[in-house]
Amino acid sequence: MRLAICPGSFDPVTNGHLDVIQRAARLFDKVVVLVAVNADKHGVFCAEERCDMLRRATAHLTNVEVASYDGLLADYARERHAAAIVKGLRAMSDFEYEFQMALTNRKLNDGVETVFLTTSTEYMYLSSSLVKEVARLGGDISEFVPPCVMNDILNKIERNEKNDR
């Protein structure tokens, strides 16, 4: 079985993320969507919330599993016997960073390849940061995120705004 890992922060999951996950699910027997946990970064959503949103957004994909991990991606890939790490690319600036990460992961675990999937053109501009900003300013995010998680995002942003006042 060819297993791929699709890592990210997913804070929150967007339609761009979902596009890459769905396409990876067609290419591999199993895809683990891995929520990266970084103690130095404080996202809007905790890892458990991000995993929950991803599970709902990918529920229709029978070969997709969601997990979180707070160690090195190369180590997780080794533990799971992954054949590939799948990364979505929006622009050239993404490539430079992701290429560096791919080379590092390859050095740490020469048994895993990194596969780059370019984001569909309709989502090339989309990022989690953009979604949070539009939501914070009262804009419509319905075109940016899976419908099953939209209210979670709006409610969390609203609660954070009230707490900041």
Side-chain angles (χ1 to χ4, degrees):
M1 180 172 64
R2 305 216 21 103
L3 182 131
I5 299 168
C6 190
S9 58
F10 306 104
D11 187 43
V13 61
T14 69
N15 287 334
H17 293 132
L18 194 54
D19 171 60
V20 170
I21 294 165
Q22 288 171 327
R23 290 167 47 220
R26 289 194 300 265
L27 295 173
F28 294 93
D29 300 316
K30 182 159 192 103
V31 174
V32 177
V33 179
L34 189 66
V35 172
V37 178
N38 183 340
D40 295 332
K41 286 187 177 181
H42 301 288
V44 171
F45 298 91
C46 71
E48 187 176 302
E49 291 169 318
R50 290 181 275 156
C51 286
D52 177 62
M53 286 190 287
L54 279 160
R55 283 186 188 101
R56 286 184 280 136
T58 61
H60 64 288
L61 301 170
T62 58
N63 64 332
V64 171
E65 145 189 352
V66 176
S68 64
Y69 191 69
D70 64 356
L72 289 171
L73 177 57
D75 291 342
Y76 185 82
R78 184 179 297 106
E79 289 169 20
R80 294 298 305 263
H81 305 287
I85 295 167
V86 175
K87 300 294 293 204
L89 296 177
R90 291 173 299 189
M92 230 18 218
S93 57
D94 284 350
F95 177 77
E96 290 177 26
Y97 173 77
E98 294 299 346
F99 183 68
Q100 182 180 25
M101 294 305 300
L103 292 175
T104 302
N105 285 325
R106 181 70 184 217
K107 189 75 168 170
L108 295 171
N109 178 355
D110 63 3
V112 68
E113 295 291 338
T114 298
V115 175
F116 297 113
L117 295 179
T118 55
T119 305
S120 295
T121 54
E122 64 190 294
Y123 303 121
M124 288 186 104
Y125 67 92
L126 189 55
S127 69
S128 294
S129 298
L130 179 92
V131 168
K132 290 181 284 196
E133 187 66 15
V134 171
R136 251 187 229 110
L137 296 172
D140 180 9
I141 62 168
S142 62
E143 297 285 321
F144 305 151
V145 299
C148 63
V149 301
M150 188 173 76
N151 286 334
D152 296 277
I153 296 166
L154 293 173
N155 291 336
K156 182 75 167 203
I157 297 290
E158 184 179 315
R159 278 195 307 276
N160 285 353
E161 287 293 306
K162 284 181 183 176
N163 290 338
D164 288 344
R165 289 184 199 149

